[in-house]
Amino acid sequence: MLKKLLILMGGVAFLTLLVFVINNSGPTNTADAYNEEQLIDALRVGVHYDVKNMGYQQYYDDELSGMEVDLSKHLAKYIYGDESLLELNSVSMKTAQYFLNNKKIDCIIATQPITDEKSDKYRYSRPYYTDYVECVYANGSIMSLSDLAGKKIGVINNSYAHKRLQSLIKEAKLEASFVSYEGYSDGVEAVQLGKIDVFCTNRIFLPSSGLKRFTVGECKYCVVVRYNDTELLEKINSAIENMENSGELKMLQDKYK
């Protein structure tokens, strides 16, 4: 009887030890693992991966480079004291706001111009770069907005340039038709082939194509944060202001012209 009791007690002790080992072997779900990772402070930034001079990665194993990448490093150093405390996330125009809204990133530094329609959802930093909305064309001469009357205009649907030009044409009471394209190179090619009269987008996205240009207006790129992240925005603004006063921001702009 005593022998059976000892065997039973040994079995219970073994099961207790097994349960303890399993429960303490590490996080059992991704949420726990994520929380542990977040104990290490780092600035999580959404940047372009396909815009030369801003955020560009030619091949998958290449390092991201560009003005906005360098700016991200500066902000990480200013906020956390070390530029290596930075997590760069490749985003597109379609995914950037999704990442920010779902707290996958802390801010967007990816050619984001100020727009009134986003003002109740996001906050914008001091501008770090001034760009221009331009129309490129092959034939004729465009000297003013009125010269766009009756033209077939290519755009990236719902882009800043599209909305800006559409608003200006409406204000001027002009008639023009818009054709949507998925990519900037598609729009430029359509102009070169005569499928459309002009293609309109921000200058930073337009390659040196040899086409004529007409400037519609300017836009200023800012760092974008969630509406309630006012403390982070203050730190970002302070960092950009310091770069302006020291001349470092101008040097960065000139480096990637």
Side-chain angles (χ1 to χ4, degrees):
M1 180 68 180
L2 180 60
K3 184 178 180 180
K4 291 182 178 180
L5 181 60
L6 290 173
I7 292 172
L8 179 61
M9 290 176 65
V12 171
F14 174 77
L15 290 173
T16 302
L17 178 61
L18 181 62
V19 170
F20 176 83
V21 170
I22 292 173
N23 287 338
N24 291 276
S25 60
T28 58
N29 57 62
T30 56
D32 291 337
Y34 178 77
N35 290 334
E36 286 189 8
E37 290 174 2
Q38 291 306 102
L39 293 176
I40 301 175
D41 286 331
L43 186 65
R44 302 173 302 162
V45 185
V47 295
H48 279 304
Y49 59 93
D50 57 353
V51 180
K52 288 185 177 180
N53 295 327
M54 290 306 221
Y56 189 68
Q57 185 180 33
Q58 185 171 6
Y59 301 107
Y60 180 78
D61 56 349
D62 284 350
E63 185 178 356
L64 275 167
S65 63
M67 179 188 172
E68 293 175 331
V69 174
D70 285 359
L71 178 61
S72 299
K73 293 176 181 178
H74 180 91
L75 295 182
K77 184 175 182 179
Y78 184 89
I79 295 171
Y80 292 115
D82 187 344
E83 72 172 35
S84 68
L85 293 178
L86 174 67
E87 179 186 308
L88 294 175
N89 295 266
S90 299
V91 298
S92 66
M93 291 179 66
K94 294 181 179 179
T95 63
Q97 291 175 26
Y98 171 83
F99 273 54
L100 187 62
N101 294 341
N102 289 277
K103 299 186 177 181
K104 305 292 185 184
I105 56 177
D106 303 309
C107 60
I108 306 170
I109 309 180
T111 59
Q112 296 285 311
I114 298 174
T115 58
D116 293 336
E117 66 186 49
K118 301 176 187 174
S119 60
D120 61 334
K121 296 181 181 179
Y122 310 105
R123 292 188 189 272
Y124 297 83
S125 74
R126 299 169 66 94
Y128 61 84
Y129 190 86
T130 299
D131 196 7
Y132 298 90
V133 178
E134 292 190 336
C135 292
V136 294
Y137 61 100
N139 303 310
S141 177
I142 298 177
M143 303 298 292
S144 66
L145 190 67
S146 61
D147 292 329
L148 294 176
K151 294 289 192 290
K152 187 182 290 185
I153 304 170
V155 293
I156 303 297
N157 193 39
N158 288 324
S159 64
Y160 177 85
H162 177 197
K163 293 178 180 179
R164 178 71 181 274
L165 183 59
Q166 195 171 41
S167 176
L168 290 172
I169 285 177
K170 184 177 180 180
E171 289 176 10
K173 298 181 180 180
L174 302 174
E175 293 292 334
S177 59
F178 289 88
V179 181
S180 295
Y181 290 92
E182 287 293 323
Y184 307 104
S185 59
D186 296 333
V188 170
E189 183 181 19
V191 172
Q192 293 170 331
L193 295 175
K195 294 180 179 180
I196 55 177
D197 299 304
V198 300
F199 178 66
C200 181
T201 188
N202 294 6
R203 179 185 291 177
I204 197 71
F205 303 125
L206 289 173
S208 300
S209 57
L211 296 171
K212 303 174 186 178
R213 295 172 181 260
F214 168 70
T215 301
V216 175
E218 70 174 32
C219 64
K220 296 182 181 295
Y221 296 140
C222 305
V223 182
V224 183
V225 302
R226 288 179 291 274
Y227 191 81
N228 293 327
D229 288 347
T230 53
E231 184 177 350
L232 175 60
L233 183 63
E234 288 177 4
K235 293 177 179 178
I236 290 171
N237 278 331
S238 180
I240 294 175
E241 184 176 13
N242 284 348
M243 292 181 72
E244 289 173 347
N245 294 336
S246 68
E248 192 173 356
L249 186 61
K250 178 67 164 55
M251 290 174 62
L252 203 57
Q253 293 166 345
D254 292 342
K255 177 182 177 181
Y256 290 105
K257 274 187 176 179

PDB file of all heavy atoms in Angstrom, residues 216-227:
ATOM      1  N   VAL A 216       1.533  74.255 -61.077  1.00  0.00           N
ATOM      2  CA  VAL A 216       0.180  74.590 -60.641  1.00  0.00           C
ATOM      3  C   VAL A 216       0.203  75.275 -59.276  1.00  0.00           C
ATOM      4  O   VAL A 216      -0.551  76.200 -59.010  1.00  0.00           O
ATOM      5  CB  VAL A 216      -0.695  73.317 -60.582  1.00  0.00           C
ATOM      6  CG1 VAL A 216      -2.075  73.630 -60.005  1.00  0.00           C
ATOM      7  CG2 VAL A 216      -0.818  72.699 -61.968  1.00  0.00           C
ATOM      8  N   GLY A 217       1.058  74.812 -58.393  1.00  0.00           N
ATOM      9  CA  GLY A 217       1.135  75.368 -57.039  1.00  0.00           C
ATOM     10  C   GLY A 217       2.181  74.617 -56.238  1.00  0.00           C
ATOM     11  O   GLY A 217       2.899  73.762 -56.768  1.00  0.00           O
ATOM     12  N   GLU A 218       2.281  74.925 -54.965  1.00  0.00           N
ATOM     13  CA  GLU A 218       3.264  74.262 -54.117  1.00  0.00           C
ATOM     14  C   GLU A 218       2.575  73.450 -53.024  1.00  0.00           C
ATOM     15  O   GLU A 218       1.387  73.627 -52.743  1.00  0.00           O
ATOM     16  CB  GLU A 218       4.221  75.273 -53.494  1.00  0.00           C
ATOM     17  CG  GLU A 218       3.607  76.157 -52.433  1.00  0.00           C
ATOM     18  CD  GLU A 218       4.646  77.035 -51.749  1.00  0.00           C
ATOM     19  OE1 GLU A 218       5.631  77.427 -52.391  1.00  0.00           O
ATOM     20  OE2 GLU A 218       4.462  77.342 -50.557  1.00  0.00           O
ATOM     21  N   CYS A 219       3.322  72.537 -52.445  1.00  0.00           N
ATOM     22  CA  CYS A 219       2.831  71.787 -51.291  1.00  0.00           C
ATOM     23  C   CYS A 219       4.001  71.563 -50.352  1.00  0.00           C
ATOM     24  O   CYS A 219       5.149  71.449 -50.793  1.00  0.00           O
ATOM     25  CB  CYS A 219       2.189  70.467 -51.698  1.00  0.00           C
ATOM     26  SG  CYS A 219       3.314  69.290 -52.460  1.00  0.00           S
ATOM     27  N   LYS A 220       3.714  71.524 -49.057  1.00  0.00           N
ATOM     28  CA  LYS A 220       4.754  71.363 -48.052  1.00  0.00           C
ATOM     29  C   LYS A 220       4.584  70.016 -47.360  1.00  0.00           C
ATOM     30  O   LYS A 220       3.492  69.686 -46.896  1.00  0.00           O
ATOM     31  CB  LYS A 220       4.677  72.507 -47.038  1.00  0.00           C
ATOM     32  CG  LYS A 220       4.970  73.872 -47.655  1.00  0.00           C
ATOM     33  CD  LYS A 220       4.921  74.966 -46.609  1.00  0.00           C
ATOM     34  CE  LYS A 220       5.187  76.329 -47.221  1.00  0.00           C
ATOM     35  NZ  LYS A 220       6.544  76.463 -47.763  1.00  0.00           N
ATOM     36  N   TYR A 221       5.670  69.258 -47.304  1.00  0.00           N
ATOM     37  CA  TYR A 221       5.635  67.943 -46.667  1.00  0.00           C
ATOM     38  C   TYR A 221       5.925  68.077 -45.175  1.00  0.00           C
ATOM     39  O   TYR A 221       6.821  68.824 -44.764  1.00  0.00           O
ATOM     40  CB  TYR A 221       6.657  67.008 -47.305  1.00  0.00           C
ATOM     41  CG  TYR A 221       6.376  66.713 -48.767  1.00  0.00           C
ATOM     42  CD1 TYR A 221       7.411  66.645 -49.696  1.00  0.00           C
ATOM     43  CD2 TYR A 221       5.080  66.503 -49.215  1.00  0.00           C
ATOM     44  CE1 TYR A 221       7.157  66.371 -51.032  1.00  0.00           C
ATOM     45  CE2 TYR A 221       4.820  66.237 -50.550  1.00  0.00           C
ATOM     46  CZ  TYR A 221       5.857  66.172 -51.453  1.00  0.00           C
ATOM     47  OH  TYR A 221       5.591  65.910 -52.765  1.00  0.00           O
ATOM     48  N   CYS A 222       5.165  67.333 -44.392  1.00  0.00           N
ATOM     49  CA  CYS A 222       5.275  67.374 -42.938  1.00  0.00           C
ATOM     50  C   CYS A 222       5.303  65.959 -42.373  1.00  0.00           C
ATOM     51  O   CYS A 222       4.927  65.003 -43.044  1.00  0.00           O
ATOM     52  CB  CYS A 222       4.083  68.114 -42.327  1.00  0.00           C
ATOM     53  SG  CYS A 222       3.834  69.782 -42.970  1.00  0.00           S
ATOM     54  N   VAL A 223       5.752  65.850 -41.132  1.00  0.00           N
ATOM     55  CA  VAL A 223       5.645  64.588 -40.404  1.00  0.00           C
ATOM     56  C   VAL A 223       4.217  64.503 -39.867  1.00  0.00           C
ATOM     57  O   VAL A 223       3.688  65.477 -39.338  1.00  0.00           O
ATOM     58  CB  VAL A 223       6.645  64.531 -39.233  1.00  0.00           C
ATOM     59  CG1 VAL A 223       6.549  63.183 -38.515  1.00  0.00           C
ATOM     60  CG2 VAL A 223       8.067  64.769 -39.727  1.00  0.00           C
ATOM     61  N   VAL A 224       3.583  63.336 -40.014  1.00  0.00           N
ATOM     62  CA  VAL A 224       2.191  63.154 -39.593  1.00  0.00           C
ATOM     63  C   VAL A 224       2.136  62.221 -38.383  1.00  0.00           C
ATOM     64  O   VAL A 224       2.752  61.157 -38.384  1.00  0.00           O
ATOM     65  CB  VAL A 224       1.339  62.562 -40.736  1.00  0.00           C
ATOM     66  CG1 VAL A 224      -0.121  62.454 -40.318  1.00  0.00           C
ATOM     67  CG2 VAL A 224       1.463  63.415 -41.987  1.00  0.00           C
ATOM     68  N   VAL A 225       1.392  62.648 -37.352  1.00  0.00           N
ATOM     69  CA  VAL A 225       1.176  61.811 -36.168  1.00  0.00           C
ATOM     70  C   VAL A 225      -0.321  61.698 -35.924  1.00  0.00           C
ATOM     71  O   VAL A 225      -1.122  62.435 -36.509  1.00  0.00           O
ATOM     72  CB  VAL A 225       1.862  62.403 -34.911  1.00  0.00           C
ATOM     73  CG1 VAL A 225       3.353  62.558 -35.132  1.00  0.00           C
ATOM     74  CG2 VAL A 225       1.232  63.737 -34.515  1.00  0.00           C
ATOM     75  N   ARG A 226      -0.710  60.772 -35.052  1.00  0.00           N
ATOM     76  CA  ARG A 226      -2.114  60.659 -34.674  1.00  0.00           C
ATOM     77  C   ARG A 226      -2.555  61.914 -33.918  1.00  0.00           C
ATOM     78  O   ARG A 226      -1.739  62.570 -33.253  1.00  0.00           O
ATOM     79  CB  ARG A 226      -2.343  59.407 -33.819  1.00  0.00           C
ATOM     80  CG  ARG A 226      -2.246  58.104 -34.613  1.00  0.00           C
ATOM     81  CD  ARG A 226      -2.466  56.887 -33.726  1.00  0.00           C
ATOM     82  NE  ARG A 226      -1.360  56.709 -32.805  1.00  0.00           N
ATOM     83  CZ  ARG A 226      -0.240  56.042 -33.097  1.00  0.00           C
ATOM     84  NH1 ARG A 226      -0.081  55.510 -34.302  1.00  0.00           N
ATOM     85  NH2 ARG A 226       0.723  55.927 -32.202  1.00  0.00           N
ATOM     86  N   TYR A 227      -3.810  62.241 -33.983  1.00  0.00           N
ATOM     87  CA  TYR A 227      -4.322  63.510 -33.462  1.00  0.00           C
ATOM     88  C   TYR A 227      -3.996  63.719 -31.984  1.00  0.00           C
ATOM     89  O   TYR A 227      -3.705  64.841 -31.557  1.00  0.00           O
ATOM     90  CB  TYR A 227      -5.839  63.579 -33.669  1.00  0.00           C
ATOM     91  CG  TYR A 227      -6.411  64.951 -33.409  1.00  0.00           C
ATOM     92  CD1 TYR A 227      -6.339  65.944 -34.390  1.00  0.00           C
ATOM     93  CD2 TYR A 227      -7.003  65.262 -32.185  1.00  0.00           C
ATOM     94  CE1 TYR A 227      -6.858  67.206 -34.158  1.00  0.00           C
ATOM     95  CE2 TYR A 227      -7.519  66.534 -31.943  1.00  0.00           C
ATOM     96  CZ  TYR A 227      -7.435  67.498 -32.927  1.00  0.00           C
ATOM     97  OH  TYR A 227      -7.938  68.754 -32.693  1.00  0.00           O
TER      98      TYR A 227
END
